[in-house]
Amino acid sequence: MRQTYIQIRLSALQHNLTCVKNFAKKSKVLAMVKANAYGHGAVECLPALSQADALGVACLTEAIPLQTAGWQKPIVLMEGAFSLAEWQYAYQHQMQCVVHHQTQVEWALSDIPQQNNPIVWLKFNTGMNRLGFNQTEIFDIAKQLFNKGYSLILTSHFANADNIAHPLNQTQIQLFHDTLNLLKSQISSTIQGSLCNSAGIVNWQTCHYDWVRSGIMLYGSSPVTHQTASDIGLKPVMTFSASIMAIHQLNAGESVGYGSRWQAKQPCKIGIVSVGYGDGYPRVIHENAYMQTEQGERLPIIGRVAMDMLMVDISHAVHVDIGTTVQLWGDMPTIDEVASWNDTISYELLCLVTNRPTWQYR
């Protein structure tokens, strides 16, 4: 059998949730499991997230399997309902919706859920400029929803939270703070707030309000630019590994792989690894990229990544033979390192892993 594996460590996920709770001691935690838990398997991850106060998904189709699997706490649809029928289904099944445009407001006002104090997450556009109501709209909409019997959670989203020095952060923080205080003072003191995603949880601990929304940090990747995941105390949840399936000798001047991209400058030994972009490893990779053996030996990646395999230079490795396991990401190299080699972010790589490797949960 092809020796390519994705291992999900539920104990690491549980540990990272505890880290989030330690950062946000007085706030409730909305654990983000959209996009199949950032590629980790949302249903399979549920046992490790039992201490979260709620789950966040993008849409209804992501929420239903979680309830079917037995999740009984709230699930929040972060993009809200896409039709009146979806709105009705969500609240009939004790889910909660973000409301971010006028049509959704009309659904909420015309079809009030038959429950005490149904909760709406009211999206406030403080500068991301994707979804939500602006400063001139938000008060009247909040008042209409509250007067119809809804409990409100004012929510917004940072545009640059990973970069602590970006000037827009303070603008967004101040606007959110002032608006939430206005709603509390003139509509109801019961209105809650939620501003911080993973980067906000780490960078602005005075802005956690009632709810924080933890995403990428749950899965062991750093949400900020100035600290590594290890600095924050996070553990990698996903380990991507494969094995050496063949070994060859190359003479000086010989090349390997599509496009003859890499050429041996001297006689060398190369290993062929049973993994490629068909498994979710990125095709475009920096020349500094490497894999690591269980003994800690770094094997530089050479040539072009193919659909089913890639090549590593094992000329200086001591403990490498056919069948040797190599780690593509996990403890070392980290997912953040691999993302930097591909000029992307960890979120994308985690979401692009396919079902072709053998998946293991422990």
Coordinates of all heavy atoms in Angstrom, one line a residue, residues 22-95:
N22 N -7.2 30.1 27.8 CA -6.3 30.8 28.7 C -6.1 32.2 28.3 O -5.9 33.1 29.1 CB -5.0 30.0 28.8 CG -5.1 28.7 29.5 OD1 -6.0 28.6 30.3 ND2 -4.2 27.8 29.3
F23 N -6.0 32.5 26.9 CA -5.9 33.8 26.4 C -7.2 34.6 26.7 O -7.1 35.8 27.1 CB -5.7 33.8 24.9 CG -4.3 33.8 24.5 CD1 -3.7 32.6 24.0 CD2 -3.5 34.9 24.5 CE1 -2.4 32.5 23.6 CE2 -2.2 34.9 24.1 CZ -1.6 33.7 23.7
A24 N -8.3 34.0 26.5 CA -9.6 34.7 26.6 C -10.4 34.2 27.9 O -11.4 33.6 27.8 CB -10.4 34.4 25.4
K25 N -9.8 34.5 29.0 CA -10.3 33.9 30.3 C -11.8 34.2 30.6 O -12.5 33.4 31.1 CB -9.5 34.4 31.4 CG -8.1 33.8 31.4 CD -7.2 34.3 32.6 CE -5.9 33.6 32.6 NZ -5.0 33.8 31.5
K26 N -12.2 35.4 30.2 CA -13.6 35.9 30.6 C -14.6 35.8 29.4 O -15.7 36.2 29.6 CB -13.5 37.3 31.1 CG -12.7 37.4 32.4 CD -12.7 38.9 32.9 CE -11.9 39.0 34.2 NZ -11.9 40.4 34.8
S27 N -14.1 35.3 28.3 CA -14.9 35.3 27.1 C -15.3 33.9 26.7 O -14.6 32.9 27.0 CB -14.2 35.9 25.9 OG -13.8 37.2 26.2
K28 N -16.5 33.7 26.1 CA -16.9 32.5 25.5 C -16.1 32.2 24.2 O -15.7 33.2 23.5 CB -18.4 32.4 25.3 CG -19.2 32.5 26.6 CD -20.7 32.4 26.3 CE -21.5 32.4 27.6 NZ -23.0 32.3 27.3
V29 N -16.0 31.0 23.9 CA -15.2 30.6 22.7 C -16.0 30.0 21.6 O -16.7 29.0 21.9 CB -14.0 29.6 23.1 CG1 -13.3 29.1 21.8 CG2 -13.1 30.2 24.1
L30 N -16.1 30.6 20.5 CA -16.7 30.1 19.3 C -15.6 29.4 18.5 O -14.7 30.1 17.9 CB -17.4 31.2 18.5 CG -18.0 30.8 17.2 CD1 -19.3 30.0 17.4 CD2 -18.4 32.1 16.4
A31 N -15.6 28.1 18.4 CA -14.6 27.4 17.7 C -14.9 27.3 16.2 O -16.0 26.7 15.9 CB -14.4 26.0 18.3
M32 N -14.1 27.8 15.4 CA -14.4 27.8 13.9 C -14.0 26.4 13.3 O -12.9 26.0 13.4 CB -13.6 28.9 13.2 CG -14.0 30.3 13.8 SD -15.7 30.7 13.6 CE -16.0 30.5 11.9
V33 N -15.0 25.8 12.7 CA -14.8 24.5 12.1 C -15.3 24.6 10.6 O -15.6 23.5 10.0 CB -15.5 23.4 12.8 CG1 -14.9 23.2 14.2 CG2 -17.0 23.6 13.0
K34 N -15.4 25.8 10.0 CA -15.8 25.9 8.6 C -14.7 25.2 7.8 O -13.6 24.9 8.2 CB -15.9 27.4 8.3 CG -14.6 28.2 8.4 CD -14.8 29.6 8.1 CE -13.5 30.4 8.2 NZ -13.7 31.8 7.8
A35 N -15.1 25.0 6.5 CA -14.2 24.3 5.5 C -13.7 23.0 6.1 O -12.5 22.7 6.0 CB -13.1 25.2 5.1
N36 N -14.6 22.2 6.7 CA -14.3 20.9 7.2 C -13.2 21.0 8.3 O -12.2 20.2 8.3 CB -13.9 19.9 6.1 CG -14.0 18.5 6.5 OD1 -14.8 18.1 7.4 ND2 -13.2 17.6 5.9
A37 N -13.4 22.0 9.2 CA -12.4 22.2 10.3 C -11.0 22.5 9.7 O -10.0 21.9 10.1 CB -12.3 21.1 11.3
Y38 N -11.0 23.5 8.7 CA -9.8 23.9 8.1 C -9.0 22.7 7.5 O -7.8 22.5 7.6 CB -8.9 24.6 9.1 CG -9.4 26.0 9.5 CD1 -10.7 26.2 9.8 CD2 -8.5 27.1 9.5 CE1 -11.2 27.4 10.2 CE2 -9.0 28.3 9.9 CZ -10.3 28.5 10.3 OH -10.8 29.7 10.7
G39 N -9.8 21.7 6.9 CA -9.2 20.6 6.3 C -8.9 19.4 7.2 O -8.4 18.4 6.8
H40 N -9.3 19.5 8.5 CA -8.9 18.5 9.5 C -10.0 17.4 9.7 O -9.8 16.4 10.3 CB -8.6 19.1 10.8 CG -7.3 19.9 10.8 ND1 -7.2 21.1 10.2 CD2 -6.1 19.6 11.5 CE1 -5.9 21.5 10.4 NE2 -5.3 20.6 11.1
G41 N -11.2 17.7 9.2 CA -12.4 16.8 9.4 C -13.2 17.2 10.6 O -12.9 16.9 11.7
A42 N -14.3 18.0 10.3 CA -15.0 18.7 11.3 C -15.7 17.7 12.3 O -15.6 17.8 13.5 CB -16.1 19.6 10.7
V43 N -16.4 16.7 11.7 CA -17.1 15.7 12.6 C -16.1 14.9 13.4 O -16.3 14.7 14.6 CB -17.9 14.8 11.7 CG1 -18.5 13.6 12.5 CG2 -19.1 15.5 11.0
E44 N -15.0 14.6 12.8 CA -14.0 13.8 13.6 C -13.4 14.6 14.7 O -12.9 14.0 15.7 CB -12.9 13.3 12.6 CG -13.4 12.2 11.6 CD -14.1 12.8 10.4 OE1 -14.2 14.0 10.3 OE2 -14.6 12.0 9.6
C45 N -13.3 15.9 14.5 CA -12.7 16.8 15.5 C -13.6 17.1 16.7 O -13.2 17.7 17.7 CB -12.2 18.1 14.9 SG -10.7 17.9 13.8
L46 N -14.9 16.8 16.6 CA -15.8 17.2 17.6 C -15.5 16.8 19.0 O -15.6 17.6 20.0 CB -17.3 16.7 17.3 CG -18.0 17.4 16.1 CD1 -19.3 16.8 15.9 CD2 -18.0 18.9 16.3
P47 N -15.0 15.6 19.3 CA -14.7 15.2 20.6 C -13.6 16.1 21.3 O -13.7 16.3 22.5 CB -14.1 13.7 20.5 CG -14.8 13.2 19.2 CD -14.9 14.4 18.3
A48 N -12.7 16.6 20.5 CA -11.6 17.5 21.1 C -12.1 18.9 21.3 O -11.4 19.7 21.9 CB -10.4 17.5 20.1
L49 N -13.3 19.2 20.8 CA -13.8 20.6 20.9 C -15.0 20.7 21.9 O -15.7 21.7 21.9 CB -14.2 21.1 19.6 CG -13.1 21.2 18.5 CD1 -13.7 21.6 17.2 CD2 -12.1 22.3 18.9
S50 N -15.1 19.7 22.7 CA -16.3 19.6 23.6 C -16.3 20.8 24.6 O -17.4 21.1 25.1 CB -16.3 18.3 24.4 OG -15.2 18.1 25.2
Q51 N -15.2 21.4 24.9 CA -15.2 22.5 25.9 C -15.4 23.8 25.2 O -15.4 24.9 25.9 CB -13.8 22.5 26.6 CG -13.6 21.2 27.5 CD -14.7 21.0 28.5 OE1 -15.1 21.9 29.3 NE2 -15.3 19.8 28.4
A52 N -15.6 23.9 23.9 CA -15.9 25.1 23.3 C -17.4 25.4 23.6 O -18.2 24.6 23.9 CB -15.7 25.0 21.7
D53 N -17.7 26.7 23.6 CA -19.1 27.2 23.9 C -20.0 27.1 22.7 O -21.2 27.0 22.9 CB -19.0 28.6 24.5 CG -18.2 28.7 25.7 OD1 -18.7 28.2 26.8 OD2 -17.1 29.2 25.7
A54 N -19.4 27.1 21.5 CA -20.2 27.0 20.3 C -19.3 26.7 19.1 O -18.1 26.8 19.3 CB -21.0 28.3 20.0
L55 N -19.9 26.4 18.0 CA -19.1 26.1 16.8 C -19.5 27.2 15.7 O -20.6 27.6 15.6 CB -19.3 24.7 16.2 CG -19.0 23.5 17.1 CD1 -19.3 22.2 16.4 CD2 -17.5 23.6 17.5
G56 N -18.5 27.5 14.9 CA -18.8 28.4 13.8 C -18.5 27.7 12.5 O -17.5 27.1 12.3
V57 N -19.5 27.9 11.6 CA -19.4 27.3 10.2 C -19.7 28.4 9.2 O -20.2 29.5 9.6 CB -20.3 26.1 10.0 CG1 -19.9 25.0 11.0 CG2 -21.8 26.5 10.2
A58 N -19.4 28.2 8.0 CA -19.8 29.2 6.9 C -21.2 29.2 6.6 O -21.9 30.2 6.5 CB -19.0 28.9 5.7
C59 N -21.9 28.0 6.5 CA -23.2 27.9 6.0 C -23.9 26.7 6.6 O -23.3 25.9 7.3 CB -23.2 27.8 4.5 SG -22.2 26.5 3.9
L60 N -25.2 26.6 6.2 CA -26.1 25.5 6.8 C -25.6 24.1 6.4 O -25.6 23.2 7.2 CB -27.5 25.8 6.3 CG -28.6 24.8 6.8 CD1 -28.7 24.8 8.3 CD2 -29.9 25.1 6.1
T61 N -25.1 24.0 5.2 CA -24.7 22.6 4.8 C -23.5 22.1 5.6 O -23.3 20.9 5.7 CB -24.3 22.6 3.3 OG1 -23.4 23.6 3.0 CG2 -25.6 22.8 2.4
E62 N -22.7 23.0 6.2 CA -21.6 22.6 7.1 C -22.1 22.3 8.5 O -21.5 21.6 9.2 CB -20.6 23.7 7.1 CG -19.8 23.9 5.8 CD -18.6 24.9 6.0 OE1 -18.7 25.8 6.9 OE2 -17.7 24.8 5.2
A63 N -23.3 22.9 8.8 CA -23.8 22.8 10.2 C -24.5 21.5 10.4 O -24.4 20.8 11.5 CB -24.7 23.9 10.5
I64 N -25.3 21.0 9.4 CA -26.2 19.9 9.6 C -25.4 18.6 10.0 O -25.8 17.9 10.9 CB -27.0 19.6 8.3 CG1 -28.0 20.8 8.2 CG2 -27.7 18.3 8.4 CD1 -28.8 20.8 6.8
P65 N -24.3 18.3 9.3 CA -23.6 17.0 9.8 C -23.1 17.1 11.2 O -23.0 16.1 11.9 CB -22.4 17.0 8.8 CG -22.8 17.8 7.6 CD -23.6 18.9 8.1
L66 N -22.8 18.3 11.7 CA -22.3 18.4 13.1 C -23.4 18.1 14.1 O -23.2 17.4 15.1 CB -21.8 19.8 13.3 CG -20.6 20.3 12.4 CD1 -20.2 21.7 12.7 CD2 -19.5 19.3 12.5
Q67 N -24.6 18.6 13.8 CA -25.8 18.2 14.7 C -26.1 16.8 14.5 O -26.4 16.1 15.5 CB -27.0 19.1 14.3 CG -26.9 20.5 14.9 CD -28.3 21.2 14.8 OE1 -29.1 20.9 14.0 NE2 -28.4 22.2 15.7
T68 N -26.0 16.2 13.3 CA -26.3 14.8 13.1 C -25.3 13.9 13.9 O -25.7 12.9 14.4 CB -26.2 14.5 11.6 OG1 -27.2 15.3 10.9 CG2 -26.5 13.0 11.4
A69 N -24.1 14.4 14.0 CA -23.1 13.7 14.8 C -23.2 13.8 16.3 O -22.5 13.2 17.0 CB -21.7 14.2 14.3
G70 N -24.1 14.7 16.7 CA -24.4 14.7 18.2 C -24.0 16.0 18.8 O -24.2 16.1 20.1
W71 N -23.5 17.0 18.1 CA -23.2 18.3 18.8 C -24.5 19.0 19.2 O -25.4 19.2 18.4 CB -22.4 19.2 17.8 CG -22.0 20.5 18.4 CD1 -22.7 21.7 18.3 CD2 -20.9 20.7 19.2 NE1 -22.0 22.7 19.0 CE2 -20.9 22.1 19.6 CE3 -19.8 19.9 19.6 CZ2 -19.9 22.7 20.4 CZ3 -18.8 20.5 20.4 CH2 -18.8 21.9 20.8
Q72 N -24.5 19.4 20.5 CA -25.8 19.9 21.1 C -25.7 21.4 21.5 O -26.7 21.9 21.9 CB -26.2 19.0 22.3 CG -26.5 17.6 21.9 CD -27.0 16.7 23.0 OE1 -26.9 17.1 24.2 NE2 -27.5 15.6 22.7
K73 N -24.5 21.9 21.4 CA -24.3 23.3 21.8 C -24.6 24.2 20.5 O -24.8 23.6 19.4 CB -22.9 23.6 22.3 CG -22.6 22.9 23.6 CD -21.2 23.2 24.0 CE -20.8 22.5 25.3 NZ -19.4 22.8 25.7
P74 N -24.7 25.5 20.6 CA -25.0 26.3 19.5 C -24.0 26.2 18.3 O -22.9 25.9 18.5 CB -25.0 27.8 20.0 CG -25.2 27.6 21.5 CD -24.6 26.3 21.9
I75 N -24.6 26.3 17.1 CA -23.8 26.4 15.9 C -24.2 27.7 15.2 O -25.4 28.0 15.0 CB -24.0 25.2 14.9 CG1 -23.7 23.9 15.6 CG2 -23.2 25.4 13.6 CD1 -24.1 22.7 14.8
V76 N -23.2 28.5 14.8 CA -23.4 29.8 14.2 C -23.0 29.8 12.8 O -21.9 29.3 12.4 CB -22.6 30.9 14.9 CG1 -22.9 32.3 14.3 CG2 -22.8 30.9 16.4
L77 N -24.0 30.2 11.9 CA -23.8 30.3 10.5 C -23.2 31.6 10.2 O -23.8 32.6 10.2 CB -25.1 30.1 9.7 CG -26.0 28.9 10.1 CD1 -27.1 28.8 9.1 CD2 -25.2 27.6 10.1
M78 N -21.8 31.7 9.9 CA -21.1 32.9 9.8 C -21.5 33.7 8.5 O -21.3 34.9 8.5 CB -19.6 32.7 9.9 CG -19.2 32.0 11.1 SD -19.7 32.7 12.7 CE -18.9 34.2 12.7
E79 N -21.9 33.1 7.5 CA -22.4 33.8 6.3 C -23.9 33.9 6.3 O -24.5 34.5 5.4 CB -21.9 33.1 5.1 CG -20.4 33.1 4.9 CD -20.0 32.5 3.6 OE1 -20.8 31.9 2.8 OE2 -18.8 32.5 3.3
G80 N -24.5 33.4 7.4 CA -26.0 33.6 7.5 C -26.7 32.7 6.6 O -26.2 31.7 6.0
A81 N -28.0 32.9 6.6 CA -28.9 32.1 5.7 C -28.9 32.7 4.3 O -28.7 33.9 4.1 CB -30.3 32.2 6.2
F82 N -29.0 31.8 3.3 CA -29.0 32.2 1.9 C -30.4 32.2 1.3 O -30.6 32.5 0.1 CB -28.1 31.3 1.1 CG -26.7 31.5 1.3 CD1 -26.0 31.0 2.4 CD2 -25.9 32.3 0.4 CE1 -24.6 31.3 2.6 CE2 -24.6 32.5 0.6 CZ -23.9 32.0 1.7
S83 N -31.4 31.9 2.1 CA -32.8 31.9 1.7 C -33.7 32.0 3.0 O -33.2 31.6 4.1 CB -33.2 30.7 0.9 OG -33.2 29.5 1.6
L84 N -34.9 32.3 2.8 CA -35.9 32.3 3.9 C -36.0 30.9 4.5 O -36.1 30.7 5.7 CB -37.2 32.8 3.5 CG -38.3 32.8 4.5 CD1 -37.9 33.6 5.8 CD2 -39.6 33.3 3.9
A85 N -36.0 29.9 3.6 CA -36.2 28.5 4.0 C -35.0 28.1 4.9 O -35.1 27.4 5.9 CB -36.3 27.6 2.8
E86 N -33.8 28.5 4.5 CA -32.6 28.2 5.3 C -32.7 29.0 6.7 O -32.3 28.4 7.7 CB -31.3 28.7 4.6 CG -30.9 27.7 3.5 CD -29.4 28.0 3.1 OE1 -28.8 28.9 3.7 OE2 -28.9 27.2 2.3
W87 N -33.2 30.2 6.7 CA -33.3 30.9 7.9 C -34.3 30.1 8.9 O -34.0 29.9 10.0 CB -33.9 32.3 7.6 CG -34.4 33.1 8.9 CD1 -35.6 33.1 9.4 CD2 -33.5 33.9 9.7 NE1 -35.6 33.8 10.5 CE2 -34.4 34.4 10.7 CE3 -32.2 34.3 9.7 CZ2 -33.9 35.2 11.8 CZ3 -31.8 35.1 10.7 CH2 -32.6 35.6 11.7
Q88 N -35.4 29.7 8.3 CA -36.4 29.0 9.1 C -35.8 27.7 9.6 O -36.0 27.3 10.8 CB -37.6 28.7 8.3 CG -38.4 30.0 7.9 CD -39.5 29.8 6.9 OE1 -39.4 28.8 6.1 NE2 -40.5 30.7 6.8
Y89 N -35.1 26.9 8.8 CA -34.5 25.7 9.2 C -33.5 25.9 10.3 O -33.5 25.1 11.3 CB -33.9 25.0 8.0 CG -33.3 23.6 8.4 CD1 -34.0 22.4 8.1 CD2 -32.0 23.5 8.9 CE1 -33.4 21.2 8.4 CE2 -31.5 22.3 9.3 CZ -32.2 21.1 9.0 OH -31.7 19.9 9.3
A90 N -32.7 26.9 10.2 CA -31.6 27.1 11.1 C -32.2 27.3 12.5 O -31.8 26.7 13.5 CB -30.8 28.3 10.7
Y91 N -33.2 28.2 12.6 CA -33.7 28.5 13.9 C -34.7 27.4 14.5 O -34.8 27.3 15.7 CB -34.4 29.9 13.9 CG -33.3 31.0 14.0 CD1 -32.8 31.6 12.9 CD2 -32.8 31.4 15.3 CE1 -31.8 32.5 13.0 CE2 -31.8 32.4 15.3 CZ -31.3 32.9 14.2 OH -30.3 33.9 14.3
Q92 N -35.3 26.7 13.6 CA -36.1 25.5 14.0 C -35.2 24.5 14.7 O -35.6 23.7 15.5 CB -36.9 24.9 12.9 CG -38.0 25.8 12.4 CD -38.6 25.3 11.1 OE1 -38.2 24.3 10.5 NE2 -39.6 26.0 10.6
H93 N -33.9 24.5 14.3 CA -33.0 23.5 14.8 C -31.9 24.1 15.7 O -30.8 23.6 15.9 CB -32.2 22.8 13.6 CG -33.1 21.9 12.8 ND1 -34.0 22.4 11.8 CD2 -33.3 20.6 12.8 CE1 -34.7 21.4 11.3 NE2 -34.3 20.3 11.9
Q94 N -32.3 25.2 16.4 CA -31.5 25.8 17.4 C -30.2 26.3 17.0 O -29.2 26.4 17.8 CB -31.4 24.9 18.6 CG -32.7 24.2 19.1 CD -33.7 25.3 19.5 OE1 -33.4 26.2 20.2 NE2 -34.9 25.2 19.0
M95 N -30.0 26.6 15.7 CA -28.8 27.3 15.2 C -29.0 28.8 15.3 O -30.0 29.3 15.6 CB -28.5 26.9 13.8 CG -28.4 25.4 13.6 SD -28.2 25.0 11.8 CE -28.3 23.2 11.8

